[in-house]
Amino acid sequence: TYNITSREDEFRSPLIIYPQRIGNALKVTRHSSTIDTIISSSDALPDTVPAFILSLRRDTTWIAYTYHIVPWSRFISRLTQEFSLFLMRINASKVKTASSQMKNELVTRHINPEKIDVFTPYIEKNIQIQKKGKKYDAVWMGRIHPAKGCGDIVAIWKFVVNKKKHATLAVIGTGEKKYRDTLLKEISAAHLESHIEMTGYLSDKVAFGMIHRSKCFIHTSHEEGYSLVIDEVRTLTKTPITAYALPVLKEQFKETITTSPCFDTRKFAHIILKLI
């Protein structure tokens, strides 16, 4: 039995959405006397604040999940994350994360190391992918947001096209309108409309089918705690993967992906050209 406490039709400002989500979560759970375990699936405030409050009201186990430290360049996100980690320190029974690096970060914030579990997220292996359809030289998939390196896509692909005239890239995913619009403008300004196709959201069957048919999968994320999408691509397809050499990706995926020096778009493009 479950309740969906929030369902938005589009991405809006967290300053508006987060208080609504927190209030809805507390409203749904306030009369329940059967809750003995609370899981907060991220360190976002709509997950951690209700979990913390409920863990104080009842004799409950709070299991908190957190994956990576947000850089200070995203000041509000980092500030709210630090508050969430403080709440975990006070009352979480267990804190689960996906890398030894993040465990070390949690310990520096005085979270008891005996409470911290490092685990590997589960990947669904039984997705039936669509093997026939349009083919691309490369596919990018993720949330369209600067943290995911969407701002690097145009610079990388412009260099690729300079060397391989008909190279094509599919960009799968969505995000806040302002980031989508910025990416579209950058694609247009670089005259890459016939080389980069933004597909929007696609089902797993269609998305991973598209990746399966491509020559490589590119992952331009600037920050990660555990890249589910890389693990999914490795599990469901045989498509080569290239990503920035973030320490956490090197720890988790070792030699199974090709890495480029962090945020060097030209070297990233060189690797793509070798793969395609």
Side-chain angles (χ1 to χ4, degrees):
T1 301
Y2 63 91
N3 291 286
I4 297 172
T5 60
S6 178
R7 188 192 294 278
E8 292 88 35
D9 294 327
E10 63 179 280
F11 287 89
R12 287 185 288 162
S13 170
L15 294 174
I16 299 172
I17 294 299
Y18 278 16
Q20 292 177 2
R21 289 182 177 177
I22 292 168
N24 288 344
L26 291 172
K27 182 179 179 181
V28 165
T29 57
R30 72 172 182 240
H31 297 305
S32 175
S33 60
T34 60
I35 296 173
D36 53 26
T37 304
I38 302 162
I39 297 174
S40 53
S41 60
S42 81
D43 54 30
L45 293 182
D47 288 346
T48 57
V49 171
F52 175 75
I53 292 172
L54 290 167
S55 72
L56 292 174
R57 276 173 25 188
R58 300 184 176 92
D59 182 17
T60 56
T61 297
W62 174 21
I63 302 170
Y65 285 74
T66 181
Y67 295 98
H68 82 291
I69 298 298
V70 174
W72 278 113
S73 57
R74 294 199 284 136
F75 181 75
I76 299 298
S77 295
R78 175 63 178 270
L79 205 60
T80 57
Q81 181 187 44
E82 292 290 351
F83 180 66
S84 288
L85 297 179
F86 174 71
L87 297 181
M88 292 178 197
R89 173 187 166 191
I90 294 174
N91 218 44
S93 305
K94 280 288 184 183
V95 180
K96 292 182 175 284
T97 191
S99 72
S100 59
Q101 294 176 51
M102 187 59 180
K103 180 177 180 177
N104 293 337
E105 290 282 357
L106 296 173
V107 171
T108 64
R109 286 159 175 79
H110 306 291
I111 295 175
N112 186 344
E114 293 184 1
K115 290 184 176 183
I116 305 169
D117 288 339
V118 178
F119 75 105
T120 300
Y122 173 78
I123 300 299
E124 175 58 59
K125 298 178 174 64
N126 297 318
I127 297 172
Q128 298 299 311
I129 64 175
Q130 190 178 78
K131 294 188 176 179
K132 293 183 179 180
K134 187 175 178 181
K135 295 182 179 181
Y136 297 85
D137 287 293
V139 175
W140 182 99
M141 182 165 71
R143 179 166 56 102
I144 296 176
H145 186 279
K148 298 299 180 183
C150 65
D152 296 0
I153 293 172
V154 172
I156 290 168
W157 211 250
K158 185 175 181 179
F159 188 86
V160 170
V161 170
N162 284 339
K163 302 293 183 180
K164 191 174 188 298
K165 187 166 63 172
H166 300 294
T168 55
L169 169 68
V171 176
I172 303 172
T174 188
E176 289 184 60
K177 185 177 183 299
K178 62 181 179 181
Y179 297 130
R180 299 197 312 268
D181 289 348
T182 296
L183 183 54
L184 283 168
K185 288 177 183 176
E186 289 175 351
I187 291 170
S188 177
H191 307 292
L192 292 174
E193 297 96 325
S194 61
H195 298 278
I196 300 177
E197 179 180 344
M198 291 181 64
T199 70
Y201 168 80
L202 298 176
S203 68
D204 286 347
K205 177 180 178 180
V206 175
F208 287 108
M210 192 177 288
I211 295 166
H212 171 78
R213 297 189 301 271
S214 72
K215 296 176 182 176
C216 70
F217 178 77
I218 67 174
H219 187 70
T220 58
S221 187
H222 285 205
E223 51 187 88
E224 285 290 357
Y226 187 90
S227 178
L228 280 172
V229 70
I230 286 181
D231 214 354
E232 288 169 334
V233 171
R234 289 194 320 160
T235 302
L236 299 172
T237 79
K238 295 181 180 179
T239 305
I241 301 166
T242 186
Y244 287 129
L246 300 175
V248 71
L249 298 185
K250 294 174 75 174
E251 173 190 337
Q252 291 159 344
F253 302 115
K254 298 181 173 66
E255 311 305 322
T256 64
I257 64 174
T258 304
T259 57
S260 167
C262 285
F263 323 133
D264 187 329
T265 56
R266 179 159 292 204
K267 288 188 178 179
F268 199 107
H270 276 298
I271 292 173
I272 292 171
L273 287 164
K274 289 179 181 178
L275 292 174
I276 68 176

